[in-house]
Amino acid sequence: MSNAAYQLLEGTAEDTAVPIPANILIVDDDLAYAHLVSRYATQQYRYAMIDICNNSKEAIDHCLSKQYDVLLIDYNLPDLTGSKFLHKLQSEIDDLPPPAIVLTAEGGASAAGEALRANAYDFLPKQLVNRDSLGRSMKNAIIKHGLQRSIRLRTIELEQANRTLQEKSREIRDFYQTVSHEVKTPLAANQEFVSLVRDEVLGPITDEQAEALDYALASCNQISTHFNDLVEMTRLDAGKVTLHKKWISVACLLKRTMASCARAIEERGTNVVVLPCDSEACDLHVDGDRIIQVLSNLLSNAIKYTDPDGDIEISIDNNDITIRFCVRDSGCGIDEKYTNSIFNRLYQVTEMNHEHSGAGLGLGLSIARELVVLHEGKIWVESEIGIGSRFYVELPRLKM
Ligand code: ADP
C-alpha cells in the first residue's frame, strides 16, 4: 500500500476520512475497456496514478516493482483467469497482495464465487461498472484491505510475542531444573549428616537435640519434595516424561503405594485401609512408578487433610474396559466450587482452615492429572466440606 492511500479526502461529508488510492493497476487485454475504466477511476480519484497492462505476467512484474493500492482485473485474461492470476500473485508476493476487484463481461455466480475464493475483494459485471460503482467498490476494497493489513500486523506481533513467551518459559523451566539439581545434592548430603547425628551414630544426644533434629529432617524432606515436584513439572512441560509401560498387578501397585506412604501413616497415626476386592488380581499395562506416584500423592494428601482419628480407605472397582481407584478420606473436604481448580498448577484452596493448608506448592494434583492423562485416564474428586473427599483415578484396561 503506498503512503498516499491513507491521505484523507477533504470535501464532501460522505468521503471525509476515507483513504484514497494513489496507485491503481488495470489489467485487461481489451485496451478500449481498460481506458474507460481508467477514466472512471480518475473521475473518482483525480490524482491517482494509473498503469494499464494486458496480461498476467506483466501485471505480476508491475506488482513486484511498485506498490499498488487497488488492482482492477479482467476475469478473462489472455493467459490466465482472474482467479488464477490472484493465486499466482499471492504466491509471488511475501506480503499481503494489494486488494483486487475482478471485472467481467460474463461468468455469473460461479465466476464470482471463484474470484472471491481467490481473495478478490469484489466482483463487478462490466455492464454495471461506472464512476460511482467503481468508486464505491475501490473505497470498500481499500478499507477492507487496511483492516486485513492491521489484523495481519497484529497477528505477526502476537506470534512474535508468543515466541518470546515460549522462549522465556523455556528459560524459566531450565532455571528451575538447574536450581533444583544444584540444591538437591547438598540437600541430600545435609539429610544424611543430620540423620547420622539424630541416630546417635556420632555420639549420644539429648532428647531436646533429637527433637530439634527431627524438625530439621522434616524440613529437609519438605524441601526435597518441593524440588522433586518442580523438576517433575518442568519435565512434563518439556514433554520429557515418557512412560515405560509394563504389566503390573493392581495388588502390587497398592502394596507399593502403601509402602511409599508408610512413614507418613505412622507419623500421623491415621487408620488407612485397603478394601479387599477381586480386582487386585487383575494386571494393568501402565508405567507402574508413575501410577504409584499418582496414588501416593492422593494418599499423602488424604493423610495430610484428615485428622489422626479419621479414616482413609482405598478401594478399586473394575469392568472390562476400565479400572477405577478411589482414595476416600473423612478429612476436612473441599468446597464444590474448588473441585476442578485444585487440579490446576499451583492451586491451593486459600479459604481452607486446616493445619496443612498452604504447606505444599499446589503442584501434586496437577502433576497427578498430567500423568493420568498420559495414560489416557481420568482423575476427579467428589467432596463435601466437613465430611471428606473421594479422589478417583480411572485407567483404561488392556487385554493381555
Ligand atoms: P498441595 O501440595 O498444596 O497439597 P496438591 O496439588 O496436592 O497440592 O493439592 C491442591 C490443593 O487441593 C491442596 O492445597 C488442598 O487445598 C486441596 N486438597 C488436595 N487433596 C485434598 C484432600 N484429600 N482433602 C482436602 N483438600 C485437599
Side-chain angles (χ1 to χ4, degrees), residues 226 229 297-306 327 329 331-334 338 341-344 346-350 352 356-367 381 383 388-391:
H226 291 349
D229 279 354
N297 180 267
L298 300 185
L299 182 54
S300 61
N301 276 349
I303 297 165
K304 229 175 7 176
Y305 297 108
T306 304
V327 179
D329 66 58
C332 57
I334 305 157
Y338 301 121
S341 323
I342 55 169
F343 293 96
N344 293 341
L346 297 172
Y347 195 90
Q348 292 181 307
V349 181
T350 44
M352 201 180 219
H356 283 115
S357 65
L361 287 183
L363 286 175
L365 288 178
S366 72
I367 292 172
V381 64
S383 191
S389 313
R390 286 170 194 269
F391 280 84

Side-chain angles (χ1 to χ4, degrees), residues 67 105 139 166 174 202 286 296 362:
Q67 285 191 313
K139 188 171 86 180
Q166 280 179 353
D174 291 350
L202 304 179
V286 291
S296 302

Side-chain angles (χ1 to χ4, degrees), residues 214-276:
D214 281 340
Y215 280 123
L217 273 178
S219 299
C220 287
N221 287 338
Q222 203 177 8
I223 297 171
S224 162
T225 311
H226 291 349
F227 276 119
N228 285 340
D229 279 354
L230 284 172
V231 171
E232 188 72 340
M233 183 193 77
T234 52
R235 280 171 54 77
L236 279 162
D237 270 0
K240 283 190 186 159
V241 172
T242 37
L243 299 181
H244 302 288
K245 288 190 183 178
K246 287 194 185 111
W247 289 101
I248 181 167
S249 74
V250 170
C252 179
L253 288 173
L254 292 175
K255 209 165 111 193
R256 285 177 52 196
T257 302
M258 287 296 282
S260 76
C261 294
R263 194 161 166 186
I265 296 171
E266 195 193 321
E267 280 172 8
R268 189 105 171 118
T270 321
N271 183 34
V272 181
V273 179
V274 179
L275 294 186

Side-chain angles (χ1 to χ4, degrees), residues 7-35:
Q7 286 172 0
L8 301 185
L9 259 193
E10 287 170 359
T12 59
E14 196 203 337
D15 282 341
T16 308
V18 167
I20 55 169
N23 292 310
I24 300 172
L25 176 65
I26 301 173
V27 192
D28 199 323
D29 58 326
D30 178 347
L31 278 184
Y33 188 77
H35 282 289

